Amino acid sequence: MSSEIWEHVLEVEKVGVKHNFFEIGGHSLVILKLASKIRELGLKIEVKDFFKYQTIEQQSNFIKTSLKLLDTASQGKFVIPIQPEGNNIPLFAIPEFLLYAEIGKHISKDQPFYSIEHSPFDTVTEVVKHYITEIKKTHPHGPYGLMGYCGWGDIILEMAKTLIANGDQVPVLVLSEYYSPTINLSRVSFKYIKQKLRYIIKKLLENGTSLNKRKFLSKQFADALQFINRKFKSSANENSVITSDTYSGKVILFEANDTLGFEDDPYMGWNIFTGDVKKFKIESDHIGMMVSPVAAKQIAGILNSDLSQMKIEEKQKLSSDQFNYSIRIG
């Protein structure tokens, strides 16, 4: 997007890509004119987007991202190549491109990095099958690296188990803010409640219609109830049957420095990882960890360093023994 458009509409000279729209004379009436000019170029931008992306640089990145998503959707594809080049083991991340776009800006040119868009299916079995089908369209054979955020770690583990059972190799898992339901909450759990409330209020202000607000609130309450239910199930009866899978590959765990209020644990509560496990503290909170520029750069730097030796031609032989299903009765 050209700065000449901003200069013409705002009637100012020499607008830089980092100049803030509202600080150089922009207001609601000007937004309408500017949005119209941008649409004349065949680019899509809404009035509300000017409040979120307030510089030419931010708007350009937003438009490029939107075009990439639209192009992918029009082709019926779910896997988006954030950085497709390189000889390292490809890393596939869920749940969506927008969550990993900032990290992708700093990923090494030798590290293939893909995101997978939300699946149209509902059950875990269907979602896992769909995601595996999609990544195999890009890379028909392993090895595969898998990355997931928060509760999507459950899907990542199921994908790894299924891939390995079918003869593929999954030598590395990357899991962000993915806590076991059995981990104890610390006395600072109110931090999470405050963060969640700020997030909900922010989203309510962004969602314009009352229908959107109702849908958003319904989902947030459902997520909260599910979380509480998992906590009660895991702590109410310590002698209950726990089914688990053990994974012996490399595991990279990312934990927000301003955590949810869980007790500090080197495995974030999981006892299923039996191989090389590393946990890194990221300077952020749970909500902003993946999209904050500072946090995203930190995460990308760790991935570049820790995955740099995992070349496809140097892969270790991994069998179905890497993922063992077990039942433990307390």
Side-chain angles (χ1 to χ4, degrees):
M1 185 168 61
S2 174
S3 59
E4 282 81 2
I5 299 176
W6 278 40
E7 292 169 356
H8 174 72
V9 173
L10 291 167
E11 298 181 351
V12 296
E13 295 182 358
K14 297 181 180 179
V15 175
V17 295
K18 294 186 182 294
H19 281 157
N20 185 285
F21 174 77
F22 296 100
E23 292 177 358
I24 58 175
H27 51 78
S28 56
L29 294 178
V30 177
I31 289 177
L32 294 174
K33 294 180 182 179
L34 190 53
S36 177
K37 289 288 184 181
I38 293 173
R39 290 194 196 105
E40 288 176 6
L41 299 177
L43 303 175
K44 184 178 179 181
I45 192 167
E46 305 295 336
V47 170
K48 63 181 178 62
D49 297 324
F50 281 83
F51 293 93
K52 191 171 184 180
Y53 310 103
Q54 299 182 9
T55 69
I56 291 177
E57 182 179 55
Q58 291 173 344
Q59 288 183 10
S60 295
N61 289 334
F62 166 69
I63 290 171
K64 288 175 185 176
T65 297
S66 299
L67 289 174
K68 182 179 285 190
L69 290 172
L70 287 171
D71 182 59
T72 300
S74 67
Q75 298 177 44
K77 295 179 180 178
F78 284 82
V79 175
I80 297 178
I82 299 176
Q83 201 300 102
E85 306 300 325
N87 296 315
N88 289 354
I89 292 173
L91 185 62
F92 293 85
I94 60 173
E96 62 180 0
F97 173 82
L98 292 176
L99 193 65
Y100 297 96
E102 191 68 32
I103 295 173
K105 294 177 183 178
H106 309 285
I107 286 292
S108 163
K109 295 301 180 183
D110 204 32
Q111 177 58 59
F113 188 40
Y114 302 84
S115 67
I116 313 176
E117 289 302 286
H118 286 283
S119 173
F121 300 100
D122 295 322
T123 69
V124 171
T125 301
E126 290 174 324
V127 171
V128 167
K129 181 180 179 181
H130 175 239
Y131 282 164
I132 290 176
T133 299
E134 293 300 319
I135 67 174
K136 283 187 171 290
K137 290 179 182 178
T138 304
H139 285 263
H141 308 288
Y144 303 104
L146 302 177
M147 181 174 184
Y149 169 72
C150 196
W152 290 91
D154 292 344
I155 300 294
I156 288 297
L157 289 183
E158 288 298 320
M159 287 177 67
K161 181 173 70 173
T162 302
L163 284 164
I164 293 170
N166 291 335
D168 284 304
Q169 300 172 15
V170 185
V172 60
L173 301 179
V174 181
L175 301 164
S176 303
E177 282 291 277
Y178 178 53
Y179 297 88
S180 166
T182 62
I183 195 171
N184 292 322
L185 289 168
S186 73
R187 293 181 180 180
V188 294
S189 298
F190 69 90
K191 283 187 178 180
Y192 170 65
I193 296 172
K194 290 200 303 185
Q195 290 171 13
K196 194 68 172 178
L197 283 174
R198 286 198 297 266
Y199 171 73
I200 290 173
I201 292 170
K202 179 176 180 291
K203 287 297 182 181
L204 283 176
L205 291 174
E206 291 177 356
N207 291 325
T209 68
S210 58
L211 178 61
N212 283 341
K213 291 178 180 179
R214 287 199 300 273
K215 285 182 178 179
F216 175 73
L217 277 176
S218 295
K219 184 180 185 308
Q220 292 302 314
F221 280 123
D223 289 347
L225 287 173
Q226 184 183 38
F227 175 78
I228 293 171
N229 187 45
R230 288 175 70 194
K231 290 302 299 177
F232 274 118
K233 280 186 176 180
S234 63
S235 60
N237 183 5
E238 293 183 355
N239 293 322
S240 60
V241 178
I242 300 174
T243 60
S244 66
D245 300 295
T246 58
Y247 174 78
S248 62
K250 181 182 182 70
V251 179
I252 298 174
L253 298 172
F254 291 125
E255 181 179 43
N257 188 50
D258 190 2
T259 185
L260 297 180
F262 293 118
E263 286 186 343
D264 192 37
D265 184 279
Y267 299 126
M268 295 166 75
W270 298 103
N271 60 1
I272 60 177
F273 305 132
T274 60
D276 178 21
V277 181
K278 292 182 179 179
K279 186 181 77 169
F280 298 91
K281 288 275 191 179
I282 304 301
E283 295 297 323
S284 184
D285 58 25
H286 175 78
I287 302 298
M289 189 167 101
M290 308 298 288
V291 295
S292 159
V294 174
K297 186 175 182 179
Q298 186 183 357
I299 289 173
I302 293 168
L303 292 178
N304 292 338
S305 175
D306 273 61
L307 302 182
S308 63
Q309 302 303 315
M310 302 191 76
K311 308 287 186 183
I312 291 179
E313 64 269 19
E314 298 171 358
K315 61 184 179 290
Q316 288 184 331
K317 191 68 176 175
L318 299 171
S319 68
S320 59
D321 291 338
Q322 186 184 0
F323 229 126
N324 299 314
Y325 183 77
S326 63
I327 297 179
R328 176 172 64 82
I329 301 179

